[in-house]
Amino acid sequence: MQTFYIIIKKDYLSFFEKNGNSYERVYLGGNPEFEYSLHNANDNVERLCTMVVEEYNLDTIAEVDFVVINNEDTFISEVMTKALNQNIKEIISIDSLIKTAMINLSRDQKLYIQKYGIHFDGKSYFLRDSNLYKEEFSLVSYGLKDDMLMKFLS
């Protein structure tokens, strides 16, 4: 069984696979992201599954499991997880993963995580009294990239 890790972003999916203790980005069709439209989610996921089967020389999509990191927007998450449903092995909360990243990154005082927070996928996140708060995007917060977020997946 082949397992892929998918981050559901607002406009695209980021694909990763585990290699030992780390996660490596998967380039499907030579692209680091797989763009989708919520209006055609089922068609987009069908195309995605076809690409995975072809690029990994699998017999069928039934040989694939997806571990999905949801989006902070519940509507986007619901639409995309429903489309991916048959192959989802596990769903991970983006909020819990960002909270873990913030706790770990805030150890480096030079990043000013406590003061300015983290921005990811168009939102800024702040950790106060062990609670995660979201606000609109802020340029002064620390930019968390998909590859770095995957380092905090346990």
Side-chain angles (χ1 to χ4, degrees), residues 117-133:
I118 284 178
H119 66 81
F120 181 77
D121 197 27
K123 289 285 183 187
S124 289
Y125 296 84
F126 298 90
L127 196 58
R128 295 192 183 101
D129 301 322
S130 299
N131 293 315
L132 190 66
Y133 296 92

Side-chain angles (χ1 to χ4, degrees), residues 44-56 61:
N44 293 156
V45 168
E46 187 176 320
R47 186 168 49 92
L48 168 79
C49 291
T50 300
M51 290 173 74
V52 169
V53 168
E54 288 173 359
E55 292 206 23
Y56 283 83
I61 194 62

Side-chain angles (χ1 to χ4, degrees), residues 5-73:
Y5 296 79
I6 301 173
I7 302 173
I8 300 174
K9 306 278 292 248
K10 290 195 185 317
D11 300 316
Y12 62 89
L13 304 176
S14 287
F15 247 69
F16 293 85
E17 63 182 328
K18 193 168 188 173
N19 185 4
N21 291 331
S22 64
Y23 297 89
E24 293 181 356
R25 186 176 289 275
V26 172
Y27 293 80
L28 293 173
N31 296 311
E33 294 106 15
F34 181 83
E35 290 186 16
Y36 68 87
S37 165
L38 289 176
H39 303 292
N40 300 318
N42 289 331
D43 293 339
N44 293 156
V45 168
E46 187 176 320
R47 186 168 49 92
L48 168 79
C49 291
T50 300
M51 290 173 74
V52 169
V53 168
E54 288 173 359
E55 292 206 23
Y56 283 83
N57 294 322
L58 303 172
D59 293 326
T60 175
I61 194 62
E63 297 178 55
V64 175
D65 280 333
F66 296 136
V67 175
V68 175
I69 300 166
N70 67 7
N71 191 279
E72 65 85 25
D73 183 316

